[in-house]
């Protein structure tokens, strides 16, 4: 069956998701339209395609044990010079994101992996572009604010074209959750929300 590249994330809902995606594109980031606006729970990870059912069961169990939680974004930050990234900060909901990402990668599950850097929930708005454009992203979004209630997270697969597409969404609790987020920039994106 081969391998697939997977990621798990919380989608940033509309109207915020598309707005940040458009801003990312305006800074000259070529990846803007291939990556739904999100908070990462599991970075790009290689997995066997045959393991997908077990992975989805694992994620479903995590979501069922969780509950919706408030998320708030405010201002910008950067990982430079360690990593060429400018991001919007998660100022509320970070502890829930941390709890979720640990559960996603737990040793007893099918998505075990070490992280290259310590986990820090954020929404990337510029990555690997010219320093001047990174500075502009940092300045222009410094007063950015958004808030919503997270009710789910989702599993994504990266296609051969580099575009991330949602495979499945996992609402918190026994079911329900917020409605799906419309696709951003023509990509197959989805909903926001989530938490233990």
């Amino acid at each position: 069956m081969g391998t697939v590249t997977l990621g798990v994330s919380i989608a940033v809902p509309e109207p915020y998701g598309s707005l940040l995606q458009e801003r990312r594109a305006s800074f000259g980031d070529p990846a803007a339209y291939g990556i739904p606006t999100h908070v990462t729970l599991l970075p790009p990870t290689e997995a066997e395609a045959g393991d997908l059912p077990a992975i989805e069961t694992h994620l479903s169990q995590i979501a069922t044990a969780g509950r919706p939680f408030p998320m708030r974004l405010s201002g910008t930050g950067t990982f430079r010079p360690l990593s060429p990234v400018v991001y919007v900060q998660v100022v509320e909901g970070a502890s829930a994101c941390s709890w979720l990402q640990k559960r996603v990668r737990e040793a007893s599950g099918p998505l075990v992996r070490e992280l290259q850097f310590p986990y820090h929930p954020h929404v990337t708005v510029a990555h690997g572009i010219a320093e001047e454009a990174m500075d502009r992203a940092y300045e222009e979004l410094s007063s950015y604010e958004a808030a919503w209630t997270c009710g789910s997270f989702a599993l994504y697969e990266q296609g051969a074209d580099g575009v991330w597409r949602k495979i499945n969404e996992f609402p918190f609790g026994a079911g329900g959750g917020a409605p799906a987020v419309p696709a951003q920039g023509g990509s197959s994106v989805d909903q926001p929300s989530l938490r233990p």
Side-chain angles (χ1 to χ4, degrees):
M1 288 185 91
T3 62
V4 290
T5 301
L6 304 175
V8 178
S9 64
I10 299 168
V12 174
E14 296 304 339
Y16 316 118
S18 288
L19 184 145
L20 288 176
Q21 190 176 50
E22 291 295 329
R23 294 309 307 273
R24 184 170 179 172
S26 78
F27 301 132
D29 190 329
Y33 293 119
I35 305 173
T37 307
H38 68 283
V39 176
T40 298
L41 298 177
L42 178 76
T45 300
E46 293 292 316
E48 292 296 325
D51 291 342
L52 274 170
I55 289 168
E56 293 193 73
T57 297
H58 172 64
L59 296 175
S60 180
Q61 290 169 345
I62 294 168
T64 299
R67 64 182 182 274
F69 62 96
M71 284 279 284
R72 188 163 66 87
L73 309 178
S74 181
T76 50
T78 184
F79 294 131
R80 296 181 294 174
L82 196 58
S83 182
V85 172
V86 171
Y87 58 86
V88 173
Q89 300 184 79
V90 174
V91 296
E92 186 175 5
S95 62
C97 292
S98 292
W99 182 87
L100 286 166
Q101 67 88 25
K102 283 180 191 167
R103 294 288 314 276
V104 168
R105 296 184 303 106
E106 65 192 353
S108 62
L111 292 171
V112 179
R113 69 161 287 173
E114 293 298 316
L115 298 180
Q116 185 178 0
F117 301 106
Y119 182 72
H120 181 86
H122 63 280
V123 177
T124 298
V125 290
H127 179 236
I129 56 177
E131 286 297 320
E132 307 74 44
M134 301 275 273
D135 292 341
R136 192 161 66 89
Y138 187 87
E139 290 302 321
E140 290 183 14
L141 292 171
S142 62
S143 60
Y144 183 81
E145 298 277 339
W148 71 93
T149 297
C150 278
S152 67
F153 60 90
L155 174 65
Y156 292 83
E157 179 180 350
Q158 187 178 37
D161 56 1
V163 174
W164 287 90
R165 295 174 178 85
K166 187 176 77 168
I167 297 175
N168 203 346
E169 187 167 347
F170 302 91
F172 293 116
V181 172
Q184 302 166 19
S187 57
S188 308
V189 181
D190 271 89
Q191 153 160 327
S193 71
L194 158 84
R195 156 35 204 251

